[in-house]
Amino acid sequence: MMNEIITNTNITIEPVEQSRIHEVDFNNLVFGRKFSDHMFEMEFQGDKWGAPVIKPYAPFKMTPATNVLHYGQAVFEGMKAYYVDENTIHIFRPKAHYERFNNSCRRMCIPETEYEIFIEALETLIKLDHQWIPKRSGTALYIRPFIFASDDLLAARSSDTFTYQIITSPVGAYYSEGFNPVSLTTTDEYVRAVKGGTGEAKAAGNYAGSFLPAKKAKAEGYTQVLWLDAKEHKYIEEVGTMNIHFLIGDTLVTPALTGSILPGVTRRSVIALAKEWGLNVEERRITIDEVFEAHEKGELKEVFGSGTAAVVSPVGLIHHKGKNIELDREKPGEFAQKCFDKITDIQYGRAEDKFGWVHKVSI
Ligand code: COI
């Protein structure tokens, strides 16, 4: 090991002896498969967070009785850093992600963390592993902060100890469709979340519960499930890996955050841009029937999802109870394209960042 380095917030750095970067095919990036050389770690014990450390990415030990393995007490975030030029990297909206991370922590009975450490951990990881940030348009360094319960105890109660880690991964497009339209289906068999549950937190278990319905949707030829509300089974919620938007006439309709939908950071960015461009913007409850009716009347112009991993993802087909809405299945709609272009232009530093969304890191 090289000598340890201490940063402003006292993050101890233990650099790798040898980089693994030669293992990565930057021309063929699979989402979340390869991980950069370093990771951040901090332990919560005795009612306080301990010393932060950045060390080589590596497997770690846990006992079979570790709380998270049994009760799933864990939260995570997903954010991205973008290559701008050889001296500059942009992290997209880290404060918004950090705030949501803490909201998720509160819901899942996990101790909150400090922004100073979060942002310094991100900056330090990016500086150390800047060569892992892919350069091509459409690629980025995906950043995954997460916290899990680490008590070695089978009692079903909140853990007293937690582990906080941040890992990073060079990524390309999330869906195999890339920026081509994806297909969605509703399900009347399963629900994702209900108000009062954990759906608006980025809780690990929310995703585990969606894997079976997602697998069934995939087997039927759809990319993902379009979730309806758990109570009446008629209001559109989200897709699980992204939020959803409908362009009806000249109005952008986005399902309102009613307590069971994840408040997406890209969702907020799309809404802010639509307002800036003078579109009518409505955040409200919208039923699947209204979407089908709008389509029948020829008013449904576009449907698209938004998310960190998915960015802006056009929807070409929606299946619901034996009926289909078919939109352009070959290429994104004009508005989705405009949102994608503007958001990615800001992320890669090609457009002015009027909203103050990017956090610049000089390398
Ligand atoms: C993200 O968009 O960052 C997500 O967390 C969605 C998914 C990869 C689970």
Side-chain angles (χ1 to χ4, degrees):
M1 290 274 169
M2 273 166 57
N3 286 341
E4 287 181 351
I5 305 158
I6 308 281
T7 67
N8 290 341
T9 51
N10 296 326
I11 302 178
T12 305
I13 303 172
E14 299 164 14
V16 289
E17 280 174 0
Q18 192 143 33
S19 175
R20 289 175 289 100
I21 199 158
H22 62 273
E23 293 171 8
V24 184
D25 176 2
F26 280 91
N27 294 320
N28 190 16
L29 291 170
V30 179
F31 186 92
R33 216 5 98 67
K34 294 284 179 191
F35 300 97
S36 319
D37 283 328
H38 298 91
M39 65 187 234
F40 169 85
E41 191 174 272
M42 193 156 89
E43 303 280 354
F44 187 88
Q45 234 174 15
D47 280 336
K48 60 176 193 326
W49 285 108
V53 52
I54 285 178
K55 57 187 191 180
Y57 177 93
F60 53 91
K61 278 193 183 152
M62 50 164 69
T63 72
T66 303
N67 173 308
V68 68
L69 301 178
H70 303 269
Y71 307 119
Q73 194 181 9
V75 296
F76 71 95
E77 263 308 314
M79 50 202 288
K80 278 180 178 166
Y82 300 84
Y83 180 89
V84 176
D85 59 43
E86 56 186 1
N87 303 313
T88 321
I89 303 300
H90 280 169
I91 311 176
F92 192 65
R93 307 195 72 174
K95 194 71 188 272
H97 283 281
Y98 164 77
E99 283 163 1
R100 189 174 65 179
F101 195 38
N102 268 351
N103 291 341
S104 301
C105 284
R106 275 195 292 278
R107 176 62 185 87
M108 298 306 291
C109 207
I110 291 174
E112 290 175 41
T113 62
E114 281 174 26
Y115 186 63
E116 288 63 34
I117 295 198
F118 182 78
I119 199 71
E120 180 138 355
L122 298 184
E123 287 187 1
T124 312
L125 283 173
I126 282 167
K127 285 180 186 170
L128 273 173
D129 288 336
H130 67 89
Q131 279 167 332
W132 288 78
I133 303 172
K135 298 189 174 61
R136 286 195 190 178
S137 196
T139 64
L141 187 76
Y142 187 74
I143 303 171
R144 173 55 65 89
F146 59 106
I147 304 179
F148 61 88
S150 43
D151 270 11
D152 180 26
L153 175 75
L154 284 185
R157 58 144 174 83
S158 176
S159 188
D160 290 329
T161 61
F162 295 89
T163 301
Y164 173 12
Q165 295 184 330
I166 305 176
I167 56 175
T168 68
S169 167
V171 297
Y174 183 69
Y175 294 118
S176 55
E177 288 89 341
F179 189 45
N180 293 323
V182 297
S183 57
L184 305 177
T185 180
T186 61
T187 163
D188 51 17
E189 206 178 345
Y190 303 102
V191 296
R192 175 187 170 273
V194 65
K195 184 172 160 49
T198 59
E200 68 178 354
K202 216 161 165 59
N206 291 345
Y207 294 80
S210 72
F211 293 160
L212 176 65
K215 203 170 173 179
K216 289 191 172 181
K218 196 116 202 156
E220 288 167 20
Y222 305 103
T223 319
Q224 277 285 344
V225 174
L226 176 61
W227 293 107
L228 301 181
D229 76 283
K231 220 168 151 189
E232 296 177 73
H233 238 76
K234 61 182 194 184
Y235 294 104
I236 295 171
E237 301 234 303
E238 59 157 289
V239 180
T241 46
M242 58 186 187
N243 293 108
I244 190 97
H245 308 267
F246 302 90
L247 186 63
I248 302 178
D250 60 359
T251 303
L252 181 71
V253 183
T254 305
L257 301 174
T258 49
S260 47
I261 297 176
L262 187 81
V265 174
T266 315
R267 174 189 180 279
R268 264 162 75 179
S269 310
V270 165
I271 290 173
L273 286 174
K275 286 184 179 164
E276 159 95 358
W277 292 331
L279 226 74
N280 299 325
V281 174
E282 295 177 0
E283 277 182 77
R284 62 169 172 84
R285 300 190 90 187
I286 176 165
T287 63
I288 185 76
D289 289 345
E290 180 183 338
V291 173
F292 271 78
E293 277 159 29
H295 181 58
E296 275 153 31
K297 286 194 228 151
E299 289 170 0
L300 182 68
K301 291 193 185 153
E302 291 183 40
V303 182
F304 60 96
S306 63
T308 295
V311 195
V312 168
S313 186
V315 175
L317 181 136
I318 299 177
H319 175 263
H320 174 63
K321 292 192 172 158
K323 290 200 297 182
N324 283 341
I325 290 179
E326 287 217 38
L327 297 158
D328 194 336
R329 300 198 64 186
E330 301 300 321
K331 57 180 192 334
E334 215 175 288
F335 185 74
Q337 182 74 56
K338 191 172 167 186
C339 284
F340 178 86
D341 289 345
K342 183 52 109 186
I343 291 175
T344 53
D345 282 351
I346 294 173
Q347 290 168 333
Y348 292 106
R350 298 184 296 241
E352 188 196 346
D353 175 27
K354 272 193 194 164
F355 301 93
W357 285 340
V358 296
H359 179 93
K360 192 170 154 176
V361 182
S362 301
I363 51 171

